[in-house]
Amino acid sequence: MFDEVDMEIIKILQNNSRMQLQEIGNMVHLTGQAVRNRITRLEKLGAIEGYTIKTNMAKLGLGLTAYVTVYMKTNNHAAFHKYIRDNTMITEAHRVSGEGCYSLKAEVASHGMLEELLDGILQFGNYKVNLSISRIK
């Protein structure tokens, strides 16, 4: 369904979604219009769900990254999902197998904000926290 050119276009967009179509075309040996047609097809097929930006959280005042493993003590997962969606400190959330029920990534400005987040999680279950020392990739 997807060929090597489609995969290369996706890779390019993942690195810089603001790149001009003609520039992408030069990289994959297509015209800008042909690239636009492929991107439109990839969007319609659901391979491309949306576009986003990379942010430097430390420069935005959110220099503390925490990875939280949540062990649910309730079966009210819908309420927990709402809590996750409504909480701006949580930047990623995954339901996982293995250790724990959920893996969360949180970006906070201080240990106090992290404590506030963890206190909120306690209404749903227990947790384990790992703090990021530095980002490698």
Side-chain angles (χ1 to χ4, degrees):
M1 182 169 352
F2 305 110
D3 63 17
E4 289 180 30
V5 176
D6 291 333
M7 299 308 288
E8 186 63 24
I9 290 170
I10 289 171
K11 183 178 173 185
I12 291 166
L13 290 173
Q14 286 174 327
N15 288 324
N16 181 358
S17 63
R18 292 190 54 165
M19 189 175 284
Q20 298 294 315
L21 296 176
Q22 185 61 47
E23 190 175 354
I24 296 171
N26 290 339
M27 296 171 77
V28 297
H29 309 293
L30 294 173
T31 66
Q33 184 57 45
V35 170
R36 161 53 56 210
N37 292 341
R38 283 183 178 251
I39 291 172
T40 299
R41 183 176 60 79
L42 291 166
E43 290 169 341
K44 287 180 181 176
L45 292 171
I48 296 176
E49 295 181 340
Y51 299 87
T52 188
I53 61 171
K54 292 181 184 178
T55 53
N56 183 323
M57 300 308 277
K59 292 195 183 231
L60 294 173
L62 301 171
L64 186 60
T65 302
Y67 295 92
V68 182
T69 302
V70 179
Y71 303 86
M72 296 292 285
K73 63 182 175 188
T74 174
N75 62 357
N76 193 353
H77 292 264
F80 186 57
H81 291 185
K82 181 176 179 352
Y83 174 80
I84 290 169
R85 282 190 297 273
D86 292 346
N87 193 309
T88 59
M89 290 183 274
I90 300 171
T91 57
E92 281 187 41
H94 303 269
R95 191 163 185 182
V96 296
S97 64
E99 186 178 348
C101 302
Y102 292 90
S103 180
L104 310 178
K105 178 181 177 184
E107 306 278 354
V108 297
S110 67
H111 286 90
M113 284 181 71
L114 178 58
E115 186 176 11
E116 176 186 325
L117 172 69
L118 297 175
D119 287 347
I121 290 172
L122 281 174
Q123 65 186 309
F124 301 100
N126 296 317
Y127 58 80
K128 178 180 84 172
V129 178
N130 290 296
L131 298 178
S132 174
I133 308 268
S134 67
R135 181 177 173 172
I136 298 167
K137 182 176 177 183

